Structure formats: C-alpha cells, structure tokens
Amino acid sequence: MEIISNEEKMQRALLVSVDTGGFDAEASLAELEELVKSAGAEPAFTVTQKLQRPESATYVGSGKLEEIRDICASQELDLIVVDSELSPSQIKNIENFTNVRVIDRTMLILDIFALRARSREGKLQVELAQLKYLLPRLTGKGVEMSRLGGGIGTRGPGETKIETDRRHIRRRMETLREELAEVEKHRHMLRRRREKDGVITCAIVGYTNAGKSTLMNYLTDAGVLAQDKLFATLDPTSRALKLPGGVSVMLIDTVGLVRRLPHHLVEAFRSTLEEAAQSDIIINLCDASSDEARVHLSVTNELLESLGCGDTPIITVLNKCDLLDSEILTPDFGGYIRISAKTGAGIDRLLEAIENNLPVRMKRVSLLVPFSAAGIISEIRQKATLHSEEYVAEGIRAEATVDEILYHKVREYEQ
C-alpha cells in the first residue's frame, strides 16, 4: 500500500489493481491516478494484488478485500476506483462488503468524457457509449442503480437514464445513432467540399496529454483548452495553418488516446478518429518527457494501423523536449522531430517536414493580372505566397508561389 497525497479537500479515492501479468500493471495504475485527478478527485491510496486471474465474485481475494474495507473505514474514503472493467456482480459485492461506492476504469473514463464534451457530436457519442455500458448492467439492479447527485461516475446521462427500463434505453440509443448518422453525413459533406476545394488536411494524433492542444494553439492561435490533464480536449478542432512556403493546410486536433481505452469509446469515437485517418498528413505527437513515451508511440501507431493509415505520411514528433536534456533522447529516439510546443523550439523543423510531405507541388510564377480579374490576387494572398505586387497600366504585376490547383486558375496570366 502506498500513500499518495492528502492535501486537498475533495473526493478521496482508493485505487485498486490486480496484476495478472497480462499488461504493465504499474504503468496502468499510474495512468489511473492521472485519470482520477482529471475527474476531479484525489487518489489517496493504492492497493495492488498479484493473481493469476481476478476473482470472479470480488475481483480481489478475500483477505485483500478486508484490507480495502479497513483502509476505507479508517481513512474515511469516498470512492473505490478499480483499474479494470468490472461485472455488475463484482461492483455490487465490493460495495456491499466495504460500504463504499465503486467505479471501474471504464466508468471513470466515460465520466471524464462526459465532463469534457462540448460539441453536439461529442455529447451524443459520450451518451451512446455510456448507455452501451449501462444496458447490460441493469439486470437485477434496483435501488443501488439510483445515483442521482454529484460525484465521479454520475455525470452525463447516468444522472437521468439509469432508472429507465431497457426498452427506453434501447429507444434512446437508436435515436442517438440516427442523430450521429446525420452528423456523420454533414461531416462527409464538409470533407467532400474540402477535397473539391483542394484543402490539405493535417491531423495531430497521439496519447492524451501529449501537448496536442498546446501545439495547435502555438501554430494557429486556435484558443483550444490546453491543460495538464488527461482528455483536456475531447472535441476535434480544425484551424487553418499557412506554411512558410505559402501553402495553407487545415490542422485538426483530435481526442487523445489512452492505454486500454474501453471498447465502448473506441467504437463511439471511431468516426472522429477516421476523420483524422483520412487526412493527407498525420502528426504523431508524443510526450518525450514521459517514462512511457515508447509505449505511447506504440499505442498510437497500432491505432493508426488499424484505421488503415499505412499509405498516409506520418510525421513522428517528440514534444516537451524542453523538459529533458538532449542526450536523453538518443539513440533510441533518433530520427524523430524534437520540439517544444510551449517554447516554440523545433517548430521550424516541424513545418519543414509538413511541407516536405505535402501531396501537391508548388510552382513559382510571374503574373500580369488585368484589373478585371484582381480578385485572383486576393485569393493568392489567402491561399498561397504573394512575393510582390505592382500596379502598372496593364494591370497587376505579381510574383507568387502557388499550388497546382491555384496554378490552373492563374496560368492564363503567366508571363
């Protein structure tokens, strides 16, 4: 047992983990601590147990369960958070024995997502994921499922949907799917319009808290919420970024990943992740200061592979390098672009890498545009690089660097 902290007056939680050897239990538990903090609670104690497999009735052994009960009673803890997805009977048995509310890893992440969702699509996706999780857990539940009020694990639809019957929940889930289908249809139309207009998209993906929003804000002044919390950003944000060479790209900030992400959420947010997967360029951003940096890169790469991104240029970027000595990053991290989204260090190399992976070629042209077509100069100024312009008797003489699509519009004025 390890005492973590006891500084703030807030909901205090006991974290419980069973190490079966199937994954890195220590790293997963450390991540669970950050998740609990992000949800607004204090991870006060941790309890771990090594077992070949979790106990079917109580997750931990009887002796460990007694230890958990004693800690909760002596320390007046409000919550038990288990680093696995529990069955309804396991939750009920632990709660009855300890007289303390129990939530599992999935409930915790769903709660954080409910707290962070801002867009209509994000809220719909979170509610659908929560209902999918809740539906099989209604069997045999009565008063104990009525948890109206505050506290982790009670936000979002859990406050109003738990006491409804299965038929009502299934009907609500069908409504959510229909609404999400409409949102997906609208997104598909926007994507088609971007493709028609020749808009190049560049998605920032990576582990949660890797600094994606900070990078987005540095490059585009997007004003995206950037906090040192897991899942600080849930809803995708798109902003235009003009590269040094003159090309404008659409930069997309995506929801962060996490190890052992509940399948309810993977399915719910797959459409959002696919939006990133269909980008022209992908930036795989990793927190280089994390001890789990290599694992984080692996998690992201596996997801990108599962989404079929094998042919998409992927730029691997190590962020927060201002927190490390440069020699720490070699040789294992050789060949990656190193930046600090906070200080701006290395951003020039990142922009150069984006330009080197653009799907279009650039062309420098000398133009003489008649005054009747002066609007083309404004379009060049917005979408490309206008090196010079001079008003002469015949029209506007200009030097510009344009992409292939814009070149087809201006080539009749080329000199």
Side-chain angles (χ1 to χ4, degrees):
M1 182 189 73
E2 174 191 359
I3 298 179
I4 299 171
S5 67
N6 188 21
E7 298 177 358
E8 297 183 47
K9 186 65 177 178
M10 61 175 69
Q11 217 177 354
R12 302 174 70 234
L14 171 67
L15 279 53
V16 180
S17 172
V18 167
D19 184 0
T20 61
F23 56 90
D24 189 337
E26 183 178 347
S28 183
L29 189 60
E31 185 175 87
L32 188 70
E33 292 181 16
E34 294 302 317
L35 288 168
V36 170
K37 292 177 184 176
S38 293
E42 174 194 353
F45 294 87
T46 62
V47 171
T48 59
Q49 184 177 28
K50 287 193 175 185
L51 295 173
Q52 286 188 339
R53 65 181 62 86
E55 293 290 338
S56 58
T58 56
Y59 182 67
V60 296
S62 58
K64 188 63 67 173
L65 189 60
E66 292 179 1
E67 179 184 340
I68 291 171
R69 179 190 59 188
D70 294 342
I71 293 173
C72 290
S74 63
Q75 301 298 324
E76 298 182 349
L77 301 184
D78 311 291
L79 186 67
I80 296 173
V81 184
V82 177
D83 194 25
S84 289
E85 184 169 311
L86 300 180
S87 68
S89 60
Q90 286 174 325
I91 293 177
K92 180 179 179 181
N93 292 337
I94 298 173
E95 285 185 339
N96 289 343
F97 191 83
T98 62
N99 201 31
V100 176
R101 192 160 64 88
V102 176
I103 66 172
D104 60 18
R105 184 184 180 90
T106 301
M107 293 170 66
L108 177 63
I109 294 177
L110 285 169
D111 184 81
I112 295 173
F113 271 51
L115 183 65
R116 300 280 190 264
R118 292 293 180 268
S119 71
R120 175 170 173 261
E121 181 182 14
K123 292 177 180 178
L124 290 173
Q125 288 173 323
V126 170
E127 183 175 353
L128 181 59
Q130 287 182 313
L131 293 178
K132 283 182 178 179
Y133 176 83
L134 172 64
L135 187 59
R137 287 163 171 77
L138 286 178
T139 304
K141 292 293 185 178
V143 178
E144 69 272 16
M145 290 301 292
S146 179
R147 293 178 181 164
L148 299 177
I152 296 174
T154 65
R155 283 184 277 252
E159 295 178 340
T160 57
K161 300 292 189 292
I162 284 181
E163 294 176 337
T164 63
D165 58 21
R166 283 171 172 259
R167 185 179 305 170
H168 188 178
I169 289 181
R170 288 197 179 100
R171 192 161 52 239
R172 177 60 181 162
M173 289 172 65
E174 187 60 32
T175 300
L176 290 172
R177 290 191 183 99
E178 292 173 357
E179 293 183 27
L180 282 169
E182 286 297 316
V183 174
E184 172 64 20
K185 182 179 178 181
H186 178 66
R187 190 199 293 113
H188 181 69
M189 292 174 59
L190 292 177
R191 187 187 305 141
R192 291 287 298 273
R193 183 180 303 170
R194 288 201 303 261
E195 293 172 354
K196 182 179 179 181
D197 294 341
V199 177
I200 302 168
T201 54
C202 180
I204 307 174
V205 301
Y207 217 73
T208 183
N209 208 33
K212 296 186 296 299
S213 297
T214 303
L215 177 60
M216 184 85 164
N217 290 335
Y218 187 91
L219 293 175
T220 68
D221 295 324
V224 180
L225 175 66
Q227 295 182 344
D228 187 21
K229 290 183 177 181
L230 302 189
F231 301 119
T233 303
L234 177 60
D235 300 311
T237 303
S238 300
R239 292 291 185 276
L241 168 65
K242 192 168 185 177
L243 298 172
V247 180
S248 292
V249 300
M250 185 67 71
L251 205 60
I252 303 173
D253 182 20
T254 62
V255 61
L257 308 176
V258 68
R259 127 184 338 101
R260 297 165 59 218
L261 188 66
H263 67 275
H264 308 278
L265 286 175
V266 172
E267 183 179 350
F269 285 86
R270 190 171 186 85
S271 59
T272 303
L273 295 172
E274 285 176 347
E275 174 78 4
Q278 293 178 7
S279 298
D280 298 295
I281 301 171
I282 295 174
I283 298 174
N284 182 358
L285 194 68
C286 176
D287 177 4
S289 67
S290 171
D291 295 335
E292 297 293 308
R294 292 170 185 80
V295 176
H296 295 175
L297 281 175
S298 177
V299 169
T300 310
N301 286 329
E302 287 176 6
L303 177 71
L304 292 175
E305 185 177 343
S306 70
L307 291 173
C309 301
D311 297 329
T312 305
I314 298 177
I315 304 171
T316 302
V317 180
L318 303 178
N319 189 28
K320 304 186 183 180
C321 290
D322 55 305
L323 303 179
L324 295 175
D325 295 329
S326 59
E327 57 266 21
I328 294 179
L329 295 174
T330 57
D332 292 343
F333 283 118
Y336 297 151
I337 296 175
R338 303 168 189 174
I339 70 166
S340 169
K342 183 177 181 180
T343 68
I347 295 296
D348 54 340
R349 293 189 294 275
L350 172 59
L351 296 177
E352 181 182 356
I354 295 174
E355 287 188 322
N356 291 338
N357 286 279
L358 289 174
V360 294
R361 295 181 179 180
M362 304 304 297
K363 183 177 179 65
R364 183 161 180 144
V365 292
S366 297
L367 305 172
L368 179 57
V369 181
F371 290 117
S372 60
I376 199 71
I377 298 296
S378 298
E379 189 172 355
I380 293 174
R381 191 179 289 111
Q382 291 177 351
K383 298 181 179 180
T385 300
L386 184 63
H387 301 293
S388 66
E389 60 178 314
E390 179 187 1
Y391 286 81
V392 296
E394 298 85 356
I396 306 171
R397 197 182 303 278
E399 287 282 334
T401 299
V402 298
D403 60 25
E404 292 176 342
I405 295 174
L406 194 53
Y407 176 68
H408 287 296
K409 294 184 178 182
V410 304
R411 64 182 178 182
E412 62 181 292
Y413 310 121
E414 189 174 8
Q415 289 186 308

